[in-house]
Amino acid sequence: MEKTKVAIVGVGTVGSGVARLLLDHGDRTARHAGRTLWLEKAVVRDVKKVRDCVLPAGVLTTDLNEVLSDPEISVVALLVGGLEPARTIMLQLLEAGKDVVTANKALLAEHGPELFDRARSLGRCIAFEAAVAGGIPIIANISQCLSANQVTALQGILNGTSNFIVHKMDDQGWSYDAALREAQRLGFAEADPSMDVDGTDAAQKLAILAHLAFGARVRWQDIARTGIDTLDTVDMGFAAELGYRIKLIAHARLTGDRLELSVSPTLIRQGQPLAEVQNNYNAISVVGDAVGDLFFHGQGAGRMPTASAVVADMIDVAVGRTPITFRTLELWSDRESKVSLVPFDDLPGRYYMRFEVLDKPGVMAQITSILGQENLSISSIIQHEPDPDSSSQETQPVKLVIMTHEAPEGAARTAVHRITQLPVVTGKAVRMRVLETPRKAR
Ligand code: HSE
């Protein structure tokens, strides 16, 4: 059988999974590729480090040149995280005539235009299924299977670590710190987990999906984002009382040539598929104008799910499928259509708001008056009875939760800011977006 020599650069969590699939299941990959994918080299920083895979003698090396200078190695999985040296290594690999498979979404989100231009000019390709939603084949689906459609909306849970934390806090009552530590132990989290929990990782993945689904030339830094790092279980309780769950949602919607993009903790109605996504699972709901609604669900992080996507890409590159689609799609090129990003203040949405207020006459009137002035219509309100044991019930703040109908983000922010300035409002307010079929404010 024909043999294609491949290499891995970086044998960490994902790299060791890729090595295991290539070495332990060579028959399977050979059947799908019609050739053997032969792991020739695995480049690491430290050959002595204990790894979760056993590599044949002579495969491990610290010298990237052993890959660059071997003309028989044609496909390389670049599984180094972060921007540098990953960017430099990617350019070196392309210039040495290799096609590159990567799971590094930060690299593509940051340096996509440069890397894709370089690959195109060298006649090489870059495959990146594993960069978004780990084991879920969302890149192939959007760029190939749905190519008869205009995607009009996409909502996703794109960060497994955040979903794991939110799910454990909501379902099991774990603390934020305990859930984050466990996500790190299980290998879902980035080396710097602040990128998981502050919405950066999801925004980088959404930027990649926006290129594919909407032909949008969008920088991840231009996507409005809020993370889960300030979530309070109090709000999970109120959300449950209202019939919702809170999830970190990456949102995209195309109306004409105007594209809404955002990443934020969002209330979703219980029972909707996105609301029920558990642990480190990712999910993406996609609406295409011909196909209608689709829902993808699976493990978005971790060794074997991500390795599954990487090895599938290696097979597609070796077979010659990826080079064709790569040339046709012209991602991150000037050919991409010019949809314009809706300014953050104009993003429509419904809102959950929570205030701490003094429990005395006229407070509700002051708050609803501001909401009215900012043209925000209330859809429901919760205020619980004060603690009957409290001696000073009027001066004891109580929690007031308001759900609104649809209104622009800017109006909601202004209203919350003005409300928090009222002397009867104590402490900080919480505001989150609500995802559901929008109804017009009355
Ligand atoms: N750290 C990411 C996550 C996995 O938790 O989803 C890689 O993208």
Side-chain angles (χ1 to χ4, degrees):
M1 186 179 260
E2 202 182 324
K3 187 154 106 178
T4 296
K5 287 191 182 173
V6 303
I8 306 172
V9 179
V11 188
T13 303
V14 179
S16 61
V18 171
R20 273 161 54 167
L21 284 179
L22 291 174
L23 295 168
D24 300 349
H25 299 288
D27 51 343
R28 190 192 297 166
T29 46
R31 198 167 63 248
H32 289 118
R35 70 202 65 213
T36 304
L37 293 194
W38 181 265
L39 181 58
E40 183 73 8
K41 289 288 164 196
V43 185
V44 293
R45 265 200 300 245
D46 175 6
V47 287
K48 296 215 180 72
K49 194 172 156 191
V50 178
R51 298 195 156 77
D52 198 12
C53 58
V54 181
L55 294 164
V59 170
L60 267 190
T61 176
T62 54
D63 186 2
L64 179 67
N65 281 318
E66 290 188 23
V67 173
L68 296 174
S69 62
D70 184 342
E72 289 189 13
I73 297 176
S74 55
V75 185
V76 181
L78 172 58
L79 302 171
V80 172
L83 299 181
E84 283 294 353
R87 172 186 156 276
T88 304
I89 296 173
M90 167 91 82
L91 290 169
Q92 287 175 302
L93 291 167
L94 294 169
E95 272 150 28
K98 320 294 181 197
D99 291 322
V100 182
V101 174
T102 187
N104 188 331
K105 95 262 23 181
L107 180 64
L108 300 183
E110 196 74 41
H111 296 296
E114 176 195 18
L115 296 171
F116 281 68
D117 272 352
R118 196 75 192 114
R120 269 189 291 272
S121 69
L122 292 162
R124 304 268 50 97
C125 69
I126 300 170
F128 52 97
E129 182 63 70
V132 179
I136 303 176
I138 191 67
I139 302 287
N141 269 283
I142 291 184
S143 59
Q144 295 167 46
C145 313
L146 296 178
S147 49
N149 288 260
Q150 172 58 61
V151 174
T152 55
L154 184 157
Q155 263 96 31
I157 292 176
L158 299 179
N159 184 268
T161 300
S162 294
N163 202 59
F164 183 86
I165 293 172
V166 170
H167 177 239
K168 292 298 182 202
M169 286 171 74
D170 194 13
D171 203 57
Q172 310 281 323
W174 288 17
S175 73
Y176 174 89
D177 288 336
L180 174 58
R181 271 197 307 275
E182 183 63 2
Q184 285 177 292
R185 193 186 70 77
L186 293 169
F188 310 146
E190 300 295 302
D192 172 6
S194 62
M195 297 181 76
D196 290 299
V197 298
D198 72 2
T200 299
D201 178 81
Q204 290 175 334
K205 292 167 177 166
L206 182 60
I208 293 172
L209 292 181
H211 279 274
L212 292 166
F214 308 105
R217 302 207 74 184
V218 57
R219 285 163 15 102
W220 70 266
Q221 295 91 335
D222 295 334
I223 299 176
R225 63 195 179 280
T226 314
I228 56 148
D229 38 359
T230 55
L231 265 191
D232 191 327
T233 48
V234 166
D235 296 301
M236 292 174 166
F238 277 116
E241 190 175 338
L242 288 156
Y244 292 81
R245 294 193 206 287
I246 300 173
K247 296 286 182 189
L248 184 70
I249 293 293
H251 161 87
R253 184 165 50 187
L254 185 69
T255 311
D257 63 354
R258 300 200 8 112
L259 181 62
E260 298 166 23
L261 292 177
S262 64
V263 172
S264 62
T266 301
L267 277 73
I268 312 172
R269 269 205 188 281
Q270 290 171 5
Q272 285 199 1
L274 278 174
E276 306 307 325
V277 176
Q278 303 191 345
N279 295 314
N280 70 315
Y281 276 73
N282 281 197
I284 303 145
S285 121
V286 179
V287 183
D289 61 357
V291 74
D293 294 354
L294 295 167
F295 188 71
F296 301 87
H297 178 262
Q299 293 211 48
R303 171 176 291 121
M304 297 319 291
T306 312
S308 155
V310 171
V311 174
D313 266 351
M314 294 173 91
I315 292 172
D316 276 359
V317 172
V319 166
R321 281 191 288 266
T322 308
I324 295 172
T325 47
F326 187 78
R327 272 198 302 279
T328 319
L329 282 176
E330 290 194 30
L331 291 171
W332 277 272
S333 75
D334 289 336
R335 207 191 72 173
E336 288 184 319
S337 74
K338 303 282 187 287
V339 293
S340 59
L341 266 195
V342 174
F344 189 44
D345 276 2
D346 297 347
L347 276 187
R350 294 188 57 212
Y351 305 93
Y352 162 99
M353 300 172 176
R354 173 167 64 79
F355 306 100
E356 304 270 329
V357 300
L358 297 184
D359 194 11
K360 58 187 218 180
V363 170
M364 191 71 85
Q366 293 177 55
I367 291 174
T368 55
S369 161
I370 292 177
L371 290 172
Q373 286 159 23
E374 298 298 337
N375 214 13
L376 278 143
S377 175
I378 296 167
S379 65
S380 66
I381 295 186
I382 300 177
Q383 181 185 322
H384 293 149
E385 290 284 306
D387 178 358
D389 298 331
S390 165
S391 52
S392 52
Q393 290 189 8
E394 271 208 357
T395 53
Q396 200 62 31
V398 292
K399 294 178 175 54
L400 177 67
V401 168
I402 298 176
M403 296 280 277
T404 75
H405 289 294
E406 192 173 295
E409 175 77 28
R413 192 178 52 247
T414 304
V416 169
H417 176 72
R418 286 183 59 195
I419 291 169
T420 54
Q421 305 300 304
L422 295 171
V424 292
V425 175
T426 63
K428 274 176 62 176
V430 171
R431 180 171 65 87
M432 280 182 271
R433 296 175 70 82
V434 180
L435 180 75
E436 63 181 345
T437 314
R439 286 183 295 164
K440 285 270 171 286
R442 281 174 286 276

